[in-house]
Amino acid sequence: MTETPKFKLEVVRAPEPGRAFRAALFDFDGTLSLIRSGWQDVMVPYFYEELAKVADSTKESEADVMRIVRDFIDQITGKQTIYQCMRLADEITARGGRPLEPLAYKKEYLRRLQIHTKDRVARLENGDAEPDEYVVPGARRFLERLRGAGVKLYLASGTDEVDVKREAELLRLTSFFDGGIYGAQDDYKRFSKAMVIDQIIDQNKLEGAQLIGFGDGYVEIENVRAIGGYAIGMATLEAAPGGVDEWKRARLLQAGADAIAPDYSEPEALFNFINA
């Protein structure tokens, strides 16, 4: 494992020389957008509250319950939110509890998250904030560079599609994604990142090695790697962009990321790296 000397990219496996990427798949929250930064600080305590109600304190300490919640939320990050809610329901059932429908947990989580993000959204809507205040550093220029090189761009998020499209508009990112913007559906079986990847490969008649993916969750890293693509884990320190989130980094490496980047703050260097 090496670290390139010119910019902060940790390389596990470099792309093969001459490898040409024709399509790129991006996650949204934490990978491009900072609007929902801190969403884990909303979901984790809420899910902990629900699971702690049924946990047997003689068998599981508060720390045990918190660890269980954090672990399963992280492992499912990148999938639609409903899957995390389904897992919460399963954990409650496993402890003899009677869970609500997963959709009820999702609705309450989104209600709490809306309180967390409403000021950011309002500032963007009112023009009190520039879009780049809530875009991962360098992302806009990097997207421009990829598009200019003829790479087709796709965005796929586990967040509800209507919200992803709205927030991408607020951040003025929509126009980059000529391949489309995809997100969670009411019928959760109609969407997954793996399905989007299959569509990318089929529509563009690509080999898996011609796809590059960027994301901060297990799912997109595993899905891109599974078809032979190149996966860059974005370990953005969302509360203070510019540094590496070591917790994200460890998880992304565990998921099989080919390289780890903190952001896109040196877009030309990153572009040159993937096109060496």
Side-chain angles (χ1 to χ4, degrees), residues 255-273:
D258 293 299
I260 302 290
D263 51 38
Y264 314 89
S265 58
E266 295 197 34
E268 294 296 332
L270 182 55
F271 180 83
N272 291 336
F273 167 76

Side-chain angles (χ1 to χ4, degrees), residues 75-133:
Q75 289 167 2
I76 304 172
T77 294
K79 282 191 173 183
Q80 299 174 66
T81 303
I82 193 68
Y83 282 98
Q84 290 159 324
C85 299
M86 290 164 66
R87 178 64 179 272
L88 172 63
D90 289 344
E91 294 287 347
I92 290 172
T93 299
R95 289 162 178 76
R98 297 182 62 183
L100 303 175
E101 288 296 317
L103 185 58
Y105 293 125
K106 178 181 174 180
K107 287 181 177 178
E108 174 58 17
Y109 160 67
L110 291 177
R111 184 191 70 80
R112 296 184 184 203
L113 183 62
Q114 191 274 333
I115 294 171
H116 177 74
T117 62
K118 66 179 181 180
D119 289 344
R120 299 170 186 172
V121 171
R123 293 185 70 231
L124 288 164
E125 290 177 333
N126 297 335
D128 294 331
E130 290 297 319
D132 281 356
E133 289 184 40

Side-chain angles (χ1 to χ4, degrees), residues 48-174:
Y48 169 81
E49 288 172 20
E50 295 299 318
L51 192 56
K53 291 176 184 176
V54 297
D56 184 342
S57 60
T58 66
K59 297 178 180 178
E60 293 177 316
S61 67
E62 292 181 357
D64 289 334
V65 175
M66 181 63 78
R67 176 184 52 76
I68 289 165
V69 167
R70 285 188 179 279
D71 283 350
F72 79 69
I73 286 174
D74 182 59
Q75 289 167 2
I76 304 172
T77 294
K79 282 191 173 183
Q80 299 174 66
T81 303
I82 193 68
Y83 282 98
Q84 290 159 324
C85 299
M86 290 164 66
R87 178 64 179 272
L88 172 63
D90 289 344
E91 294 287 347
I92 290 172
T93 299
R95 289 162 178 76
R98 297 182 62 183
L100 303 175
E101 288 296 317
L103 185 58
Y105 293 125
K106 178 181 174 180
K107 287 181 177 178
E108 174 58 17
Y109 160 67
L110 291 177
R111 184 191 70 80
R112 296 184 184 203
L113 183 62
Q114 191 274 333
I115 294 171
H116 177 74
T117 62
K118 66 179 181 180
D119 289 344
R120 299 170 186 172
V121 171
R123 293 185 70 231
L124 288 164
E125 290 177 333
N126 297 335
D128 294 331
E130 290 297 319
D132 281 356
E133 289 184 40
Y134 297 106
V135 174
V136 173
R140 191 179 308 280
R141 175 58 186 153
F142 185 63
L143 294 173
E144 290 172 350
R145 193 72 177 85
L146 289 175
R147 279 293 305 277
V151 179
K152 195 163 188 176
L153 305 186
Y154 294 78
L155 192 156
S157 173
T159 298
D160 286 357
E161 187 170 293
V162 64
D163 294 324
V164 176
K165 288 183 172 179
R166 173 171 171 254
E167 291 172 16
E169 280 289 335
L170 287 173
L171 297 177
R172 300 177 193 164
L173 296 176
T174 304

